[in-house]
Amino acid sequence: MKKLQTTITNNQLIHGQYGDITFGPWGLECSDRYAFVTITDTPRNTYQSGDVWHLSSGRIQIQYTTRQKTPDKVSLCLRIRALDDVLLQDAVIRLVFDKKAITHGIIAGNTVTHHNSDKYRLFPTRQTKLVGQDGATISVSLDNADGAGRFEPYLYLRDRDDHWIIHARLLPTDPVDHVWLRWANRLFTLSAPNGISRFLWRIKPFKAIFCRLRERMGRHFPEIQAVPLNRLNAGQSVSMEVTCHFH
């Protein structure tokens, strides 16, 4: 019989194993136009003071917990509270699984095999699954989400390098407060003027094509896309609760 084993330190899952499937580290992410908050990678253009993160557009307070509540379930909770008015691209609970012992994933009725495409298969759904070679199933459910009326919940399934990546993600809803139209590469980032970006965003064909274009197209596509941001006013919060069930 398979047994779920986890190492959780300071409310973060560092490593886990279920049968032949290994996973971790898990964490959180969020960003404005310039700053990137993460606890599993290197943050950019931000710094942390306790549970307060200083972004380019203002301060946010982050509460994040990870608990193995039962022998076969791990729960994760994220709450982001704005201490100043801030513009956010997203808020994320991030789960990472080693691909070796996993045959495929399922999201929104689509079966996905791992080809290192780095595509963000993003859907307004509340559940996604990974299926192991030994018959194990890992179900990730987005149980609760509060986007303060300005963000809506999504899940995505992504095949990147040697991992499967699952994000529970809050994304801006229309009408958006800001649009960042950019072309980025390892040498530089070019951004269109705000007025031009907002004008183009109002053109439906442009929006349909360029909204998160690089995310949808994957690894070999240039980093060209339009990214919406919405304002979270001081005192407002967004939150998510996720359960990962091993069976």
Side-chain angles (χ1 to χ4, degrees), residues 67-87:
R67 293 188 177 92
Q68 184 177 338
K69 287 188 172 182
T70 71
D72 61 356
K73 292 181 182 178
V74 178
S75 65
L76 305 99
C77 300
L78 171 65
R79 181 174 181 266
I80 298 175
R81 179 173 179 263
L83 302 180
D84 304 301
D85 293 354
V86 294
L87 282 169

Side-chain angles (χ1 to χ4, degrees), residues 145-188:
D146 181 357
R150 302 297 287 128
F151 298 82
E152 289 186 345
Y154 294 82
L155 287 177
Y156 84 48
L157 181 63
R158 180 179 174 194
D159 56 327
R160 178 180 182 181
D161 299 331
D162 293 327
H163 301 96
W164 288 97
I165 302 171
I166 294 174
H167 278 192
R169 198 176 187 194
L170 289 171
L171 295 176
T173 59
D174 283 325
V176 301
D177 295 319
H178 184 82
V179 180
W180 183 18
L181 176 58
R182 67 176 186 245
W183 171 37
N185 58 42
R186 62 186 181 87
L187 299 177
F188 58 81

